[in-house]
């Protein structure tokens, strides 16, 4: 699986958009970009995923660059409850276990 | 909506004892995963099962074993516990037929070994 690079920490003001970058320059053509987050000591939570098109759901938007070497997770109106560690994970979708490899992540602090 | 259930939520054991953690996946999910998260660390994959067969194996110690039963629940058995086994243990489930790697995590079991 492709390696990802994320900033270790970011701050965001409550109510503002949080833009979390992820670099995955070695991504392969059949690898998806997944985002999960973990609020303190809770189980990780799926946010969104995409292959090459931008994606949006009720939680966030995912913007993937045309060359697919980087992406940005956007939380449009961050709240205090969005304070968490955000993990960008690149994976091939197949039926062989599909384990997630968590590494690094960005600790987002939403401040009032 | 039903979520992944883990029991117990908290467990305290002494060194060299055994522990069994249980995981009940979301109904109709056919795949179960176990992750271990030590203090200040990221979750690390241990093992997974698809349709009751082991499908992938990560950094699971030989002292640990796991299985998935006919009702799709899974148990993680841990023997000869060591202080370093103190961690949060998460179970996740997914549906292979959904075609995505969307895993749903339980609330975790906090194991403390004294």
């Amino acid at each position: 699986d492709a390696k990802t690079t994320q900033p270790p920490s970011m701050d965001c003001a409550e109510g503002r958009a949080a833009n979390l970058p992820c670099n995955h320059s070695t991504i392969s053509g059949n690898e998806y970009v997944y985002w999960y987050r973990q609020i303190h000591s809770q189980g990780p939570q799926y946010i969104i995923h995409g292959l090459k098109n931008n994606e949006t759901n009720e939680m966030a938007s995912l913007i993937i660059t045309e060359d697919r070497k980087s992406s940005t997770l956007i939380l449009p109106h961050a709240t205090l409850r969005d304070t968490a560690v955000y993990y960008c994970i690149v994976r091939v979708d197949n039926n062989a276990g599909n384990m997630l490899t968590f590494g690094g992540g960005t600790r987002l602090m939403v401040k009032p | 909506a039903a979520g992944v259930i883990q029991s117990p939520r908290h467990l305290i054991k002494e060194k060299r004892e055994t522990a069994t953690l249980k995981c009940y996946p979301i109904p109709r999910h056919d795949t179960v995963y176990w992750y271990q998260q030590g203090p200040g660390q990221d979750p690390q994959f241990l093992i997974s099962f698809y349709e009751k067969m082991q499908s992938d194996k990560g950094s699971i110690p030989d002292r640990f074993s796991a299985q998935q039963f006919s009702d799709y629940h899974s148990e993680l058995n841990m023997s000869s516990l060591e202080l370093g086994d103190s961690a949060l243990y998460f179970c996740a489930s997914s549906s292979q037929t959904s075609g995505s790697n969307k895993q749903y995590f339980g609330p975790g079991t906090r194991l403390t070994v004294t």
Side-chain angles (χ1 to χ4, degrees):
Chain A
D1 296 332
K3 180 179 172 58
T4 62
T5 304
Q6 299 177 250
S9 63
M10 290 181 64
D11 289 345
C12 177
E14 187 179 19
R16 305 297 292 270
N19 298 286
L20 293 92
C22 179
N23 187 295
H24 32 80
S25 58
T26 60
I27 193 169
S28 300
N30 61 346
E31 289 182 311
Y32 287 74
V33 180
Y34 276 80
W35 284 83
Y36 281 76
R37 73 179 182 184
Q38 186 177 28
I39 297 169
H40 181 64
S41 293
Q42 296 183 21
Q45 177 189 24
Y46 165 83
I47 302 173
I48 199 167
H49 76 284
L51 182 61
K52 53 184 177 181
N53 297 323
N54 297 338
E55 302 287 343
T56 295
N57 63 20
E58 66 278 3
M59 289 183 69
S61 295
L62 174 60
I63 308 298
I64 303 174
T65 58
E66 192 169 343
D67 63 6
R68 301 209 324 121
K69 293 184 177 183
S70 65
S71 61
T72 301
L73 178 74
I74 301 172
L75 307 178
H77 306 287
T79 70
L80 298 179
R81 288 178 293 182
D82 291 322
T83 292
V85 178
Y86 287 77
Y87 294 98
C88 170
I89 299 169
V90 174
R91 278 290 288 136
V92 174
D93 269 354
N94 56 36
N95 293 326
N98 291 333
M99 69 178 196
L100 294 171
T101 301
F102 293 90
T106 296
R107 186 173 298 276
L108 176 68
M109 179 73 72
V110 181
K111 299 183 175 181
Chain B
V4 175
I5 297 172
Q6 292 188 245
S7 69
R9 295 291 310 277
H10 301 272
L11 190 60
I12 300 175
K13 292 286 185 178
E14 295 186 354
K15 282 193 304 182
R16 295 179 288 278
E17 286 192 318
T18 61
T20 297
L21 309 185
K22 297 184 178 182
C23 170
Y24 298 86
I26 291 172
R28 290 179 294 283
H29 277 193
D30 48 29
T31 307
V32 167
Y33 314 78
W34 286 98
Y35 293 84
Q36 177 191 57
Q37 186 173 27
Q41 298 179 359
D42 300 315
Q44 297 294 315
F45 171 74
L46 291 178
I47 195 167
S48 63
F49 293 87
Y50 167 65
E51 287 290 347
K52 291 150 279 183
M53 299 288 289
Q54 181 182 306
S55 59
D56 210 349
K57 194 171 183 179
S59 51
I60 184 169
D62 292 339
R63 300 177 288 107
F64 295 6
S65 65
Q67 58 182 323
Q68 186 179 29
F69 294 86
S70 58
D71 65 351
Y72 293 98
H73 95 272
S74 178
E75 294 183 4
L76 177 65
N77 299 293
M78 310 160 72
S79 63
S80 303
L81 287 170
E82 302 174 355
L83 296 179
D85 296 329
S86 295
L88 270 169
Y89 290 84
F90 292 106
C91 171
S93 73
S94 70
S95 169
Q96 295 296 346
T97 57
S98 72
S100 78
N101 195 16
K102 195 185 297 187
Q103 296 184 18
Y104 296 84
F105 284 76
T109 294
R110 183 176 294 279
L111 172 67
T112 302
V113 181
T114 62

